[in-house]
Structures are given as C-alpha cells and as structure tokens.
C-alpha cells in the first residue's frame, strides 16, 4: 500500500481540537481490502487528533477466537490466589510477564488504587535480561490456556500492523512507515479482571485510575459490562460503552510525541459500578525497545516547534512502568537495563 496524498493543513489554519460526546467508529474494511484506504485514513485522522480513541469494526479477527480468549481469562482469574501468585510478575524481572494482583499496579498512584488483577504475556524470548523481553510464565493447571492466549496475541499483533499502516497513511506517510522500526517490537497481551464495586465509589479506589497509555497502540476487547471512560475536550468523562463486534483502539504517549501533539494520547479510566465482574483483553504494541522516538519533520513548523526531546521507546515505557509497579520501585532505583535491539530512528 503506497503513500496517500491527504491534504495537510498549514498550522496557521489548524483549528483547535473538536470535542466529542461519543467515541468515533471507523470501518476498517476499505483499508484491509485495499478498496479505499484514504477514506479510512481520514476517519483515523479525525479520531486520533480529537479523541485519541476509536472503535473499529470489520477488523477480520474471528469472534470465536475473541470469545475463547475471554473464557480462558475467566478461568485463569477463577484460580485460587495461591495458584496465580506462583506466576507473579516479579518472578520475571524486567521482562514483566505474569500475574499482577489487585493493587499490584497503580496507574494514577497519587490519587487512585487500581481494583483490578492482570495477567501479561508477550513474544517468547529466551532470556529475561532486557525490559519487556523474556520467557512467558504459563499456568500448567489450565489445558489450552497457553495455546489460545498466545494465538490471540499473534492475531492482535497482525491487526496492529494493519492499523498502524492506516495511521501512517493518515499522516501522509508510506503505509509501511512503522515496520522498519518493529523488527522485535515490545508487545504485551494483557488479560484483565475488574471486581465489582458497591457503596460510595470515589477516585481513591476504582478499576483503573486516569492515565494515558505508555507506548504506541492499544487494541482493547471489552465484555458486555462496560466501565471504560474517555475524557473529552471539556474535561467531561465520556462512556466507551461496548459495541458488539468491535475493538476499542487508542494511541499512547509515543505516537503523541511522534506527531508533536498533532495526535492525542488521551486520558481514560475504568469504573466498574455494574455489580458484575468485568473482563477485558488489552493488547499493547510499540516499536523496538531502542527505537528513537522524535517528532516527525512534517509535524514541526515555526508555529509548532518540537515539543519533545528524542527518547528511546524502551526508556520511556520502562520509566512509566516504574511509576506504576511497587515491586519495580523496590528493585530498580536507577537507569534502564540493557536493551536487545540495535538503534532505529522513528
């Protein structure tokens, strides 16, 4: 898929971000089929410039795989705590693979304790000396769990490459712009369980505190319970209610840095007041660990000078994890451990 010539506004003509009262929906079919990628790119541009979020439909991932992965997630979180703690994330060092107990990660630690538990996996890597790279920890008591969850990880990785091609086109870049910087990209497939809350709920304890995502792209599958909230331009929280057959897509800090604030890594949170257990599947993908992220020349002008210094993908992401994980704060007091890839400029 070649570069598309989509009109780019001079910064002097650029309007302020538009507000929204619902997360926009983008049909991916014309991008995946190649019939009209420009139309999809325009939809992506509006969504990411104004909301930082979008639903996507006609994404090509079989519903059966999504349903089976949800079932495996529920089975895992139904295990006794003692069984889950055998796979605790602290066992994996800086590879950051495994189980995270309730309050074991807090994304807005100054305000909120996160009432959630998680299980993280990524691409299999022989050793665990580098941030986000290492062997996975798998439960041995759940038949079929490893096969299904890893298959879902691979399906999300393939879909993320296609969505990133649409993001590239939306910036008038070649469709494969991101691929040379993703030889061994950081990727995390996270399973999440949010227990229900009752009584008076305030910011001190909610499902997950207000935060932006750390890396490039997130693909979220929600169950039917709801609870996702996204902030609009007026500072009002907008419901990201589940839509059957869709994923929720959002960008993280690194795409905002890459686009010099043209695209928005938006604040979001989860508040589960449904009275039911909530489950979700969140896939995160970034660039290679030592790919250097710096604002695109096309996003810099006299009216919008560079807002960010160059930073490596791994350094930024690991610093954000240090802020959120108490066990990392105890173990790592300075620096970022060695990284597995050669440098690439993004």
């Amino acid at each position: 898929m070649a570069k598309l010539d989509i009109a780019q506004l001079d910064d002097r003509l650029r309007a302020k971000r538009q507000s929204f009262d619902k997360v926009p929906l983008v049909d991916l079919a014309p991008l995946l089929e190649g019939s009209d990628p420009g139309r999809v790119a325009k939809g992506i541009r509006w969504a990411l410039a104004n909301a930082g979020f979008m639903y996507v439909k006609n994404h090509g991932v079989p519903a059966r795989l999504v349903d089976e992965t949800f079932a495996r997630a529920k089975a895992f979180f139904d295990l006794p705590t003692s069984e889950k703690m055998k796979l605790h994330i602290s066992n994996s060092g800086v590879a950051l693979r495994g189980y995270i107990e309730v309050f074991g990660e807090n994304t807005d630690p100054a305000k909120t304790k996160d009432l959630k538990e998680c299980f993280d996996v990524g691409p299999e890597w022989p050793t665990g000396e580098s941030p986000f790279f290492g062997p996975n920890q798998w439960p041995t008591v759940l038949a079929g769990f490893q096969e299904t969850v890893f298959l879902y990880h691979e399906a999300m990785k393939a879909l993320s490459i296609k969505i990133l091609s649409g993001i590239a086109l939306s910036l008038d870049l070649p469709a494969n712009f991101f691929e040379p910087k993703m030889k061994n990209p950081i990727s995390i497939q996270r399973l999440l369980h949010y227990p229900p809350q009752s009584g008076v709920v305030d910011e001190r304890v909610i499902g997950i505190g207000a935060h932006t995502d750390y890396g490039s792209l997130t693909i979220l599958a929600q169950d039917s319970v709801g609870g996702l909230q996204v902030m609009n331009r007026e500072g009002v929280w907008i419901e990201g209610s589940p839509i059957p057959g869709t994923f929720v897509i959002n960008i993280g800090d690194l795409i905002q840095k890459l686009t010099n604030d043209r695209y928005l890594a938006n604040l979001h949170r989860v508040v589960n007041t449904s009275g039911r257990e909530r489950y979700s599947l969140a896939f995160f993908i970034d660039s290679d660990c030592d790919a250097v992220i710096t604002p695109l020349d096309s996003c810099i002008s006299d009216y919008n000078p560079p807002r960010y210094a160059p930073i490596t993908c791994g350094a930024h992401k690991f610093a954000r994890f240090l802020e959120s994980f108490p066990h990392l704060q105890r173990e790592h007091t300075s620096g970022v451990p060695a990284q597995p890839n050669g440098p690439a400029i993004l």
Side-chain angles (χ1 to χ4, degrees), residues 17-129:
R17 298 192 198 278
Q18 298 179 46
S19 194
F20 59 97
D21 59 8
K22 62 181 179 180
V23 176
L25 173 65
V26 175
D27 184 350
L28 289 184
L31 173 69
L32 303 186
E33 299 165 358
S35 59
D36 194 355
R39 177 159 63 89
V40 179
K42 289 177 182 177
I44 290 173
R45 174 182 290 178
W46 193 97
L48 300 187
N50 293 290
F53 274 75
M54 59 186 176
Y55 296 98
V56 295
K57 66 178 183 178
N58 295 324
H59 45 69
V61 178
R64 180 177 178 180
L65 176 59
V66 179
D67 293 343
E68 288 179 354
T69 308
F70 269 113
R72 302 296 186 188
K74 185 178 185 304
F76 175 80
F77 292 120
D78 283 345
L79 290 173
T81 300
S82 59
E83 195 68 36
K84 291 181 286 190
M85 288 298 288
K86 293 177 183 177
L87 307 174
H88 194 264
I89 192 169
S90 61
N91 299 336
S92 69
V94 294
L96 296 165
R97 308 287 178 83
Y99 175 66
I100 304 157
E101 75 280 21
V102 171
F103 305 140
E105 177 196 35
N106 296 296
T107 52
D108 188 12
K111 290 184 180 178
T112 303
K113 295 180 71 175
D114 290 359
L115 187 63
K116 70 179 192 306
E117 54 179 341
C118 317
F119 184 75
D120 287 0
V121 302
E124 292 289 357
W125 202 262
T127 61
E129 293 107 15

Side-chain angles (χ1 to χ4, degrees), residues 41 44 163-178:
I44 290 173
I163 294 171
L164 284 166
S165 75
I167 293 175
L169 293 173
S170 78
L171 294 164
D172 201 25
L173 298 167
N176 67 349
F177 170 79
F178 290 97

Side-chain angles (χ1 to χ4, degrees), residues 295-312:
L296 293 164
D297 289 343
S298 59
C299 296
I300 296 171
S301 70
D302 292 341
Y303 298 90
N304 189 34
R307 298 169 184 263
Y308 301 99
I311 190 169
T312 64

Side-chain angles (χ1 to χ4, degrees), residues 183-205:
K183 300 300 184 184
N184 292 302
I186 299 169
S187 63
I188 299 170
Q189 179 58 60
R190 169 167 284 191
L191 315 180
L192 291 121
H193 168 228
Y194 297 90
Q197 290 185 257
S198 59
V200 177
V201 176
D202 59 34
E203 278 191 298
R204 289 175 296 179
V205 178

Side-chain angles (χ1 to χ4, degrees), residues 97 121-123 132 153 157 185-189 283-286:
R97 308 287 178 83
V121 302
F132 311 108
H153 172 279
K157 184 176 179 180
I186 299 169
S187 63
I188 299 170
Q189 179 58 60
F283 176 79
F284 308 97
I285 195 161
D286 309 305

Side-chain angles (χ1 to χ4, degrees), residues 192-324:
L192 291 121
H193 168 228
Y194 297 90
Q197 290 185 257
S198 59
V200 177
V201 176
D202 59 34
E203 278 191 298
R204 289 175 296 179
V205 178
I206 57 175
I208 186 169
H211 67 287
T212 58
D213 283 353
Y214 308 157
S216 294
L217 186 74
T218 303
I219 304 176
L220 176 71
Q222 304 188 80
D223 65 8
S224 62
V225 171
L228 174 66
Q229 299 179 353
V230 181
M231 184 174 283
N232 74 3
R233 296 303 86 222
E234 284 75 44
V236 175
W237 290 102
I238 303 299
E239 292 284 350
S241 301
I243 299 177
T246 69
F247 294 122
V248 177
I249 308 297
N250 66 281
I251 56 170
D253 299 337
L254 294 181
I255 297 295
Q256 180 163 333
K257 291 176 184 292
L258 181 72
T259 61
N260 206 33
D261 286 354
R262 182 169 293 180
Y263 285 176
L264 176 68
N266 204 354
L267 283 170
H268 54 288
R269 66 187 185 186
V270 170
V271 184
N272 180 18
T273 56
S274 66
R276 295 183 287 162
E277 313 290 326
R278 179 184 190 264
Y279 299 90
S280 64
L281 312 172
F283 176 79
F284 308 97
I285 195 161
D286 309 305
S287 302
D288 293 336
C289 199
D290 64 352
V292 179
I293 311 300
T294 190
L296 293 164
D297 289 343
S298 59
C299 296
I300 296 171
S301 70
D302 292 341
Y303 298 90
N304 189 34
R307 298 169 184 263
Y308 301 99
I311 190 169
T312 64
C313 173
H316 170 79
K317 186 152 183 148
F318 194 77
R320 291 292 308 269
F321 269 68
L322 276 172
E323 294 172 358
S324 300

